[in-house]
Amino acid sequence: MNRRERHGATELLRLEGVSMHYGSGANAVSALSGVDLTVKRGELVAIMGASGSGKSTLLTIAGGLVTPTSGEVVIDGQYLSDASSAQLAAIRRRVLGFVFQDFNLVPALTAIENVQLPLELDGWKRHKARLAALDALRLVDLEDRADHFPDDLSGGQQQRTAIARAVVGGRSLILADEPTGALDSHTGELVLRMLRSRIDDGAGGILVTHDARHAAWADRIVFLKDGRIVNETRRDDPSALLGARA
Ligand code: ADP
Ligand code: MG
């Protein structure tokens, strides 16, 4: 039984016919059109596509940060359209972890304070939050930098801190928007290995990337063009993998 099977086919995220229009009338932009996508536990889905193809829009909708014009988002069995704002806030705090291209760490807080912040916002006692944050930093091999400020960390260490913050306290759906864009390829690979290990432990995730070598860390690669899914390849399809690495 491989790791994915052990964690079962539990669906973490489902997008059903999601469309998104910005603006109205002559200025209307169609950013997504009828997108269907599921992410299961233990599964990392890469999204590739040209600039402006709708990748970031898809991620913000998948994370409940933006409500789509039409279609449904289901996170861990909960239809977001049925969720109260309190339920939505709880899902964002407890299930979802975002990783951004530019790290988005709070400069005035140390690495561990950055990681424990979402837990404290969720009402955790400081001591308990600190222990969980230390666990998350250990996962990305950064416990020895826990008390450093972001300015004193390398780019890769900052991004690993951001990954720790995205998974701390057992967050299970990790949404990463070009998390390796600002990193050299060696450091980018390190960050992806950390992400992959969290996914293999039972989280699920979406990785937006421009880099086919990075997409090859995913189980599936979904290609977006003009807001539509135009192609999908699986990692266990050798010809697809060769194509993705070319
Ligand atoms: P990507 O991340 O693939 O570069 P985006 O999701 O950022 O693509 O953008 C998809 C399309 O939606 C683009 O045409 C972009 O200009 C447009 N768009 C994105 N966000 C907004 C917004 N807040 N208001 C208006 N148009 C937007
Ligand atoms: Mg984008």
Side-chain angles (χ1 to χ4, degrees):
M1 192 189 291
N2 69 26
R3 278 180 291 209
R4 223 182 316 158
E5 284 159 352
R6 190 169 71 236
H7 288 288
T10 326
E11 197 174 275
L12 262 177
L13 170 72
R14 185 164 80 246
L15 302 186
E16 295 176 355
V18 164
S19 296
M20 182 70 195
H21 306 295
Y22 290 111
S24 59
N27 296 323
V29 173
S30 175
L32 288 178
S33 304
V35 168
D36 296 313
L37 183 71
T38 61
V39 178
K40 295 171 179 156
R41 285 183 199 279
E43 185 178 48
L44 181 63
V45 177
I47 298 195
M48 301 191 75
S51 180
S53 58
K55 305 181 299 295
S56 293
T57 299
L58 190 156
L59 220 60
T60 53
I61 288 173
L65 301 178
V66 170
T67 305
T69 310
S70 60
E72 294 284 354
V73 180
V74 189
I75 295 179
D76 218 5
Q78 166 81 60
Y79 276 82
L80 297 193
S81 59
D82 291 341
S84 66
S85 56
Q87 284 173 320
L88 202 56
I91 289 171
R92 280 201 208 114
R93 285 194 311 258
R94 292 172 195 155
V95 181
L96 283 162
F98 276 94
V99 186
F100 301 94
Q101 176 167 10
D102 55 0
F103 320 138
N104 269 13
L105 298 175
V106 181
L109 300 180
T110 62
I112 193 164
E113 287 167 350
N114 267 281
V115 175
Q116 69 193 65
L117 182 64
L119 300 179
E120 289 186 49
L121 292 175
D122 196 22
W124 289 45
K125 290 269 188 295
R126 175 154 302 184
H127 178 67
K128 204 178 148 214
R130 196 173 170 86
L131 289 178
L134 204 54
D135 279 344
L137 284 172
R138 200 171 289 127
L139 181 76
V140 297
D141 203 19
L142 263 189
E143 51 186 317
D144 59 331
R145 295 286 188 279
D147 295 317
H148 286 54
F149 288 93
D151 276 353
D152 298 324
L153 299 173
S154 70
Q157 289 170 340
Q158 290 184 47
Q159 195 57 302
R160 280 148 67 193
T161 305
I163 288 188
R165 185 182 54 185
V167 303
V168 72
R171 281 170 176 63
S172 52
L173 179 57
I174 305 163
L175 304 174
D177 199 351
E178 304 195 37
T180 53
L183 305 175
D184 65 69
S185 62
H186 171 74
T187 312
E189 192 158 302
L190 204 69
V191 162
L192 289 171
R193 184 166 301 131
M194 302 297 175
L195 181 60
R196 184 73 241 183
S197 103
R198 183 66 195 109
I199 302 280
D200 289 341
D201 281 342
I206 298 182
L207 167 71
V208 170
T209 179
H210 273 112
D211 190 328
R213 284 165 307 174
H214 291 172
W217 284 83
D219 301 286
R220 277 193 295 139
I221 307 174
V222 169
F223 295 89
L224 269 186
K225 188 177 181 215
D226 297 334
R228 292 176 194 277
I229 293 179
V230 291
N231 195 4
E232 218 173 299
T233 58
R234 295 201 63 86
R235 189 163 71 153
D236 47 23
D237 172 358
S239 60
L241 187 58
L242 284 172
R245 280 188 170 157

